[in-house]
Amino acid sequence: MVGMESLLSIELPVGETLHIKKTRLKPVNIHTGLKRISIITGIHGDELEGQYIVYELIRRIREQPEMLQGIVDIYPCINPLGMELTTRRVPTFDIDMNCSFPGNEEGDMVEQIAAGIVEDIMGTDICVDIHASNIFIREIPQVRLRAEDKEKTLEYAKLLNTEFIWICESQTVLESSLCHTMNRLGVPTLAVEMGVGMRITRQYGEQLVDGLFALMKEAGIWTGEVSKIKSPVISSDGEVKMVHAEKSGIFIPDISHWEGLEAGDVVGDIIDPAQGMVLEHILAPCSGIVFSLREYPVVYEGSLIARILSQNAVSA
């Protein structure tokens, strides 16, 4: 059974009402003790990869409703104003919603939404927060975990059919994020990063949907057949090398995602089109595999060009 409900309704200054909606999928035969998974998308308005994922997930469940043995809660877009205007942050407030958790019921609109989402997710058995990258960097599908959470979330992360799992000591998973907040509140939560801003990468979406079904089967929520999933490489901050631009110009890559490199291999060039010159010839600082790569060609000194998973991590 599929039902949609308005989770929150907030009056806007323009005389309209903002609705935050949730889709709930329940088994045909309801009984007590059902396991529950919550899937979140659309925290950032320019991240559209999750839209195809939740569509495909619901579509597949509706084809075999008898295989659903638990509750699937889908929050398809919790920043609808941002998505409508294709902005990462919440318009008017200019706030990054993923820096607003756990929220405040008595606060401004963004804090109210954050508090309402947190309250509704409480009690779920596993939560997956799906993100895309921004418009500048394309990411292969990956799960990002804070090191302090790996004991309770790593085994879940291995089921999501991603190429690798990044265990972060850094602020890649922010303390004010939904993922960090829910883990602190006792709900095992995974942050997935994939694709690029303002785009939908169908291949990546279908890959993650296969992983979600594998996760749901392990949790006893789904009893149907699932696809064989990838065995991810597991890495830490110390095994990830950043490549930054030293010049401003136009970046022309010579490599592709998940492509193996040797130290000293060419990553790409930063060029000056007006003078027909190469300003910087970028070389790989280590051997490994590229998992983040510059998508937007205009770069400035210090711009991120690529992240490379070092050969030591790949071989481990």
Side-chain angles (χ1 to χ4, degrees):
M1 294 185 292
V2 181
M4 179 170 284
E5 59 186 77
S6 181
L7 180 62
L8 290 168
S9 296
I10 299 175
E11 297 300 320
L12 299 175
V14 292
E16 296 182 353
T17 303
L18 176 68
H19 297 285
I20 307 298
K21 297 181 179 181
K22 177 178 79 172
T23 299
R24 169 164 283 189
L25 297 97
K26 298 184 290 187
V28 176
N29 298 313
I30 304 293
H31 56 86
T32 59
L34 291 175
K35 295 286 188 177
R36 176 181 163 211
I37 185 172
S38 294
I39 299 170
I40 319 296
T41 71
I43 288 180
H44 296 125
D46 63 348
E47 296 181 353
L48 305 179
E49 300 281 7
Q51 300 304 296
Y52 179 74
I53 291 166
V54 297
Y55 154 77
E56 181 67 8
L57 183 68
I58 295 171
R59 185 191 69 77
R60 294 191 197 180
I61 292 174
R62 295 183 75 162
E63 284 187 343
Q64 295 181 289
E66 71 280 4
M67 299 299 178
L68 185 63
Q69 298 298 316
I71 295 173
V72 180
D73 278 341
I74 294 175
Y75 305 77
C77 182
I78 63 173
N79 180 8
L81 293 179
M83 188 168 291
E84 186 172 332
L85 296 177
T86 327
T87 61
R88 188 170 186 81
R89 300 160 77 88
V90 181
T92 304
F93 295 86
D94 194 29
I95 292 174
D96 183 340
M97 182 173 286
N98 212 30
C99 294
S100 302
F101 291 95
N104 181 353
E105 292 180 353
E106 304 300 323
D108 60 30
M109 182 189 79
V110 180
E111 292 176 311
Q112 290 178 44
I113 293 172
I117 295 295
V118 168
E119 181 181 3
D120 201 68
I121 294 174
M122 289 299 296
T124 198
D125 294 281
I126 179 69
C127 178
V128 181
D129 180 20
I130 301 172
H131 290 265
S133 186
N134 53 36
I135 64 170
F136 302 103
I137 301 291
R138 180 179 291 275
E139 304 277 3
I140 64 162
Q142 59 197 260
V143 182
R144 295 183 181 179
L145 309 177
R146 289 178 69 106
E148 61 201 80
D149 299 325
K150 69 177 182 180
E151 186 172 329
K152 62 181 178 181
T153 58
L154 181 57
E155 293 307 311
Y156 290 133
K158 291 177 182 178
L159 295 168
L160 280 178
N161 201 32
T162 62
E163 269 75 12
F164 86 109
I165 298 167
W166 186 1
I167 300 174
C168 309
E169 300 285 354
S170 67
Q171 293 300 304
T172 306
V173 181
L174 300 172
E175 291 189 0
S176 54
S177 69
L178 174 67
C179 184
H180 180 77
T181 297
M182 298 316 303
N183 277 309
R184 297 289 72 70
L185 293 174
V187 176
T189 303
L190 307 168
V192 177
E193 190 89 13
M194 56 184 288
V196 66
M198 298 188 187
R199 298 290 185 271
I200 289 176
T201 311
R202 187 168 181 169
Q203 174 189 349
Y204 289 171
E206 292 175 354
Q207 177 179 334
L208 185 62
V209 171
D210 287 343
L212 289 170
F213 275 104
L215 177 59
M216 291 192 297
K217 185 154 189 174
E218 180 69 19
I221 296 170
W222 181 255
T223 58
E225 294 295 320
V226 297
S227 300
K228 183 179 180 180
I229 61 171
K230 299 175 183 289
S231 297
V233 175
I234 301 172
S235 71
S236 66
D237 275 355
E239 295 161 332
V240 173
K241 304 298 182 184
M242 309 288 189
V243 180
H244 293 91
E246 296 182 1
K247 302 288 184 180
S248 299
I250 303 297
F251 173 61
I252 307 297
D254 279 356
I255 55 173
S256 301
H257 275 98
W258 213 232
E259 179 177 312
L261 292 173
E262 297 295 330
D265 281 354
V266 178
V267 173
D269 292 324
I270 297 177
I271 63 170
D272 180 344
Q275 298 187 65
M277 293 176 56
V278 174
L279 302 177
E280 182 184 354
H281 196 52
I282 303 174
L283 303 179
C286 66
S287 299
I289 297 179
V290 177
F291 69 90
S292 306
L293 184 61
R294 186 79 179 184
E295 177 82 7
Y296 190 71
V298 178
V299 298
Y300 299 95
E301 183 180 349
S303 294
L304 179 65
I305 297 297
R307 295 188 185 98
I308 300 174
L309 186 60
S310 75
Q311 187 62 48
N312 291 337
V314 177
S315 302

